[in-house]
Amino acid sequence: NSMRQRLSGQAWFRDFLKNDNFSYVMTRLPNTGSPWLKRFRSHILWPALGRRLGIELFHSTAYRCMYAGRVPSILTVHDLAGIVHPEFFPATRIVREQNRTLVRDMREAKIVLASSRNTRNDICRLLGLHPDQIRVILLGVHEDQFRPVLDQAEIERVKRRYGILGACRTGVIDQR
């Protein structure tokens, strides 16, 4: 998100994802709320990169397709908080533009990936998308790194450490 420096771990992430049919592409343009910069990215930068790289499918994990062109897009949407609960967000021109862009991009996407059934239901109810256009892919954890802790003494130790009061219905997730 910076023109000057990369976020830590991006090189590792790019190398981790590298394979014959996938490209992880970073640009030096910051991810700002500027409508002009977003239009430049979606109408000029990404289509030019797409043609150069031979992109056949564009997957955005950042709520925005960011790709105006003839290439089909898949859009991941985690929630519609700004649309469902506008009272919790500033009533600025940028927020209104972001919500309009999100709605437009969801309607134009080939497939929308929702991270919960509730988000899928919100998209259908508020935007009129057909459920067949939306795939629910639940978020998960790496089972080798995280596991449920069933030992009551360990649960109490973690609750004290983090100042959690009362009963813990689901237990504690422990990182090995």
Side-chain angles (χ1 to χ4, degrees), residues 38 68 136 157:
K38 286 180 181 179
V136 175
R157 184 189 69 76

PDB file of all heavy atoms in Angstrom, residues 38 68 136 157:
ATOM      1  N   LYS A  38      -8.309   4.959  -8.443  1.00  0.00           N
ATOM      2  CA  LYS A  38      -9.004   3.690  -8.670  1.00  0.00           C
ATOM      3  C   LYS A  38      -9.390   3.538 -10.136  1.00  0.00           C
ATOM      4  O   LYS A  38      -9.255   2.459 -10.710  1.00  0.00           O
ATOM      5  CB  LYS A  38     -10.244   3.604  -7.785  1.00  0.00           C
ATOM      6  CG  LYS A  38      -9.929   3.356  -6.348  1.00  0.00           C
ATOM      7  CD  LYS A  38     -11.189   3.290  -5.530  1.00  0.00           C
ATOM      8  CE  LYS A  38     -10.837   3.073  -4.084  1.00  0.00           C
ATOM      9  NZ  LYS A  38     -12.005   3.029  -3.227  1.00  0.00           N
ATOM     10  N   ALA A  68     -11.184  -3.264 -15.303  1.00  0.00           N
ATOM     11  CA  ALA A  68     -12.198  -2.992 -16.318  1.00  0.00           C
ATOM     12  C   ALA A  68     -11.659  -3.548 -17.625  1.00  0.00           C
ATOM     13  O   ALA A  68     -10.667  -3.078 -18.136  1.00  0.00           O
ATOM     14  CB  ALA A  68     -12.457  -1.498 -16.438  1.00  0.00           C
ATOM     15  N   VAL A 136     -20.237 -19.471  -1.242  1.00  0.00           N
ATOM     16  CA  VAL A 136     -19.795 -19.258   0.136  1.00  0.00           C
ATOM     17  C   VAL A 136     -18.564 -20.114   0.370  1.00  0.00           C
ATOM     18  O   VAL A 136     -18.600 -21.334   0.181  1.00  0.00           O
ATOM     19  CB  VAL A 136     -20.899 -19.617   1.148  1.00  0.00           C
ATOM     20  CG1 VAL A 136     -20.381 -19.498   2.575  1.00  0.00           C
ATOM     21  CG2 VAL A 136     -22.115 -18.727   0.934  1.00  0.00           C
ATOM     22  N   ARG A 157      -6.057 -20.519  32.319  1.00  0.00           N
ATOM     23  CA  ARG A 157      -4.792 -19.754  32.230  1.00  0.00           C
ATOM     24  C   ARG A 157      -4.887 -18.708  31.124  1.00  0.00           C
ATOM     25  O   ARG A 157      -4.513 -17.553  31.318  1.00  0.00           O
ATOM     26  CB  ARG A 157      -3.618 -20.703  31.970  1.00  0.00           C
ATOM     27  CG  ARG A 157      -2.254 -19.994  31.962  1.00  0.00           C
ATOM     28  CD  ARG A 157      -1.135 -20.916  31.494  1.00  0.00           C
ATOM     29  NE  ARG A 157      -1.234 -21.250  30.089  1.00  0.00           N
ATOM     30  CZ  ARG A 157      -0.909 -20.423  29.071  1.00  0.00           C
ATOM     31  NH1 ARG A 157      -0.507 -19.205  29.310  1.00  0.00           N
ATOM     32  NH2 ARG A 157      -1.007 -20.831  27.826  1.00  0.00           N
TER      33      ARG A 157
END
